[in-house]
Amino acid sequence: MPQTELIPAHFRDGACRMAAALRDVDRVLVSGHVNPDGDAVGSLAAAGHILRSLGKEFILYSSTGLPQYLQFFPLPGTVHTSLEHLPFTPRCALLLDCGEPQRLGRELAQRLPGLTSLNIDHHLGGDGMGSLANWVDPEAAATAQLMAYVALAAGLPLKNELACAVALGIITDTGGFCHGNTSANIFSLCARLVEDGCDLTGLRERLENTWSMGRMRLWGRLMERARLERNGEVAFCPVLLEDLRQCRALKEDLEGFVEQLRRLGGVRVAALLREDAPQLCKFSLRSYGDTDVRATAAALGGGGHLNAAGGTLRLRSEQAAEVLLAAINAQLAKEDGLSGETR
Ligand code: 5GP
Ligand code: MN
């Protein structure tokens, strides 16, 4: 029995559409974005549980695999990292939390034209990626929140593993219920998850208090290196491959560090620049309130949300730093100009 009355009115139509679309497909390849975070993995898991309950065959896929810090999380199947030698030939792709075609990964992007596809996401843009149906709603804090509503529309109770999968996505994308996207709907949904036995605090414990010494050393080093720009409005820190090697840390040990940069009083934009290869850097931006880092990231070919965005720059670290800081400055100057006009 669908439990549509438990779905907030704003999300009801989309949830029912996607639940109906899932009923009509089979042999589904489920994928989140490359280098998946907790929302991509939570959504992947939730999709698997939903498809299993609907009696569908499915394959979980992530070209870059799961990061080590999420490997404790139980998933409803093996995560395939290649589209070769799958247990069956998929007919449909379910794309989750991807934002834009580039974030599918090359292998899946190439295969996609031969598949029907469904797309569920909370990023702006990318809403034409699903050939069969799209549900892209930036009002959702997490794609896993949308998956919870799909489950309810399909008549599935938010219990056990499905509830934990939803919780993983929500905890990740709300920054543990701290970011501006932590709406009343999020609290209502999580209240229901907790009532039904989901151990939210236990999940946070597993996610947050399992640091390695490598990570501790790396964060210490980077905190010393962090610097302020634009009269203290921008906090910036570059990370080199050498840092990871010397600290014996992994790339994923940087998860959460950019949020630390934003802790400095007066900072409007926090920026972390990570060297991934000698000519390739990944940047992460964070802000609060109306300060738009998505626009800055988009100007550099990336994307994301108003207060959390990122992208890559095919430049050496020092050049990338200049380009990134100039783009941040330009966006802040534009916003200052706009607020000056309305004063
Ligand atoms: P993070 O800084 O944690 O890697 O990413 C923050 C947000 O920025 C993510 O939720 C994602 O939406 C977006 N993002 C990060 N990297 C990219 C990118 O290369 N391209 C696009 N379009 N979005 C990105
Ligand atoms: Mn997400």
Side-chain angles (χ1 to χ4, degrees):
M1 263 274 286
Q3 305 163 78
T4 35
E5 72 286 353
L6 299 180
I7 307 172
H10 170 84
F11 296 103
R12 218 168 274 163
D13 176 55
C16 292
R17 265 193 315 109
M18 295 318 288
L22 285 177
R23 280 217 177 76
D24 287 342
V25 297
D26 204 354
R27 304 214 148 186
V28 185
L29 177 85
V30 190
S31 177
H33 56 76
V34 291
N35 300 317
D37 59 3
D39 189 28
V41 172
S43 301
L44 192 77
H49 291 300
I50 292 170
L51 288 166
R52 179 174 286 165
S53 301
L54 294 176
K56 309 290 182 178
E57 281 195 280
F58 63 91
I59 292 165
L60 305 179
Y61 170 77
S62 171
S63 62
T64 50
L66 258 50
Q68 212 164 50
Y69 75 95
L70 289 175
Q71 278 175 10
F72 77 92
F73 196 78
L75 292 170
T78 309
V79 176
H80 294 259
T81 52
S82 159
L83 295 178
E84 303 286 323
H85 314 299
L86 295 176
F88 57 81
T89 307
R91 288 197 207 127
C92 173
L94 174 55
L95 312 174
L96 303 169
D97 201 42
C98 284
E100 55 170 46
Q102 274 164 300
R103 306 248 295 158
L104 295 174
R106 189 172 304 155
E107 196 187 18
L108 180 55
Q110 280 172 353
R111 186 79 168 263
L112 206 57
L115 298 167
T116 58
S117 50
L118 304 170
N119 176 31
I120 305 179
D121 196 2
H122 69 133
H123 294 91
L124 264 181
D127 49 350
M129 286 203 298
S131 64
L132 212 55
N134 291 277
W135 186 24
V136 177
D137 192 338
E139 271 198 40
T143 300
Q145 178 188 0
L146 298 177
M147 296 312 289
Y149 300 146
V150 173
L152 291 171
L156 307 173
L158 293 180
K159 288 205 160 123
N160 308 324
E161 295 93 346
L162 175 56
C164 288
V166 170
L168 172 63
I170 289 177
I171 290 172
T172 303
D173 272 16
T174 60
F177 308 101
C178 286
H179 298 337
N181 58 9
T182 316
S183 62
N185 284 331
I186 285 292
F187 285 117
S188 307
L189 177 55
C190 288
R192 186 164 301 281
L193 299 179
V194 173
E195 264 169 21
D196 283 347
C198 174
D199 182 8
L200 271 192
T201 49
L203 190 51
R204 280 200 65 183
E205 181 70 20
R206 294 293 298 270
L207 284 170
E208 289 178 24
N209 299 336
T210 51
W211 283 29
S212 62
M213 268 318 281
R215 182 173 176 139
M216 186 69 81
R217 278 193 214 100
L218 179 68
W219 281 42
R221 177 186 283 218
L222 297 180
M223 282 194 177
E224 283 205 18
R225 184 180 301 162
R227 65 177 205 250
L228 290 169
E229 300 275 339
R230 208 179 198 268
N231 289 324
E233 290 188 346
V234 177
F236 174 70
C237 186
V239 192
L240 301 174
L241 282 168
E242 192 66 2
D243 293 316
L244 301 183
R245 199 184 59 74
Q246 287 171 357
C247 296
R248 295 198 192 161
L250 301 170
K251 191 158 87 167
E252 66 198 52
D253 288 324
L254 286 163
E255 194 75 38
F257 186 77
V258 65
E259 280 79 10
Q260 301 307 312
L261 295 176
R262 221 175 57 71
R263 294 193 152 204
L264 288 160
V267 164
R268 291 166 70 191
V269 173
L272 182 71
L273 184 68
R274 184 186 81 207
E275 180 187 44
D276 275 357
Q279 289 274 2
L280 183 70
C281 294
K282 149 103 188 127
F283 64 84
S284 284
L285 303 175
R286 297 293 185 272
S287 65
Y288 175 74
D290 293 338
T291 302
D292 186 358
V293 287
R294 199 198 68 81
T296 308
L300 299 173
H305 309 281
L306 183 71
N307 296 145
T312 51
L313 289 169
R314 296 188 176 279
L315 295 169
R316 293 162 62 85
S317 180
E318 310 87 73
Q319 292 168 297
E322 277 177 35
V323 168
L324 179 60
L325 288 168
I328 294 168
N329 262 318
Q331 176 62 26
L332 287 176
K334 188 167 149 196
E335 290 181 16
D336 290 346
L338 287 178
S339 66
E341 276 167 29
T342 54
R343 240 180 250 140

